Amino acid sequence: MKRQELLNRFLSGTDKTGRFIVSSKITGITYFIEPIDNGKPDKLWGDVDPATNKLTGDYGNKVVGAVKEKDSLITKDNGFVNILTFKGSPLGVIDRRDKIYELNKV
């Protein structure tokens, strides 16, 4: 995928995908952040039908703020290197990398 096409896809629908980009002012590195969530059920919440005791409705399930791993745009085929998957805040990881960079710069 061409870089501009990738950027357009990456930054469209960010409220649904949770994707965002961070550029470190310390290292100059640009980080593409993409929350991956494969653990959520199809329906997170709704109304319980008293007759069937099943969850109905589609409330709150439209905007998840993450993508399934199979839908990730951060792949080697798309030109990404140093791909990292972890739990926790991506901003915390970037902050730790910046601090390591600053310590080694001296």
Side-chain angles (χ1 to χ4, degrees), residues 6 11 17-19 21 26-27 29 31 35 41 43 45 52 54-56 59 65-66 72-73 79 84 86-87 98 102:
L6 176 67
L11 294 174
T17 65
R19 293 177 179 129
I21 298 172
I26 294 170
T27 64
I29 295 172
Y31 296 92
K43 288 194 177 213
W45 61 285
T52 63
K54 291 186 179 179
L55 195 61
T56 62
Y59 322 108
S72 176
L73 294 177
L84 179 63
F86 57 90
K87 292 184 179 186
D98 283 353
E102 284 183 315

Side-chain angles (χ1 to χ4, degrees), residues 51-77:
T52 63
N53 206 29
K54 291 186 179 179
L55 195 61
T56 62
D58 202 12
Y59 322 108
N61 298 323
K62 293 178 180 128
V63 180
V64 178
V67 298
K68 301 287 185 197
E69 190 170 359
K70 66 180 180 60
D71 298 324
S72 176
L73 294 177
I74 300 177
T75 64
K76 289 182 181 181
D77 290 342

Side-chain angles (χ1 to χ4, degrees), residues 34-41 44 64-69:
E34 184 179 55
I36 303 291
D37 191 349
N38 290 324
K40 291 185 179 179
L44 300 178
V64 178
V67 298
K68 301 287 185 197
E69 190 170 359

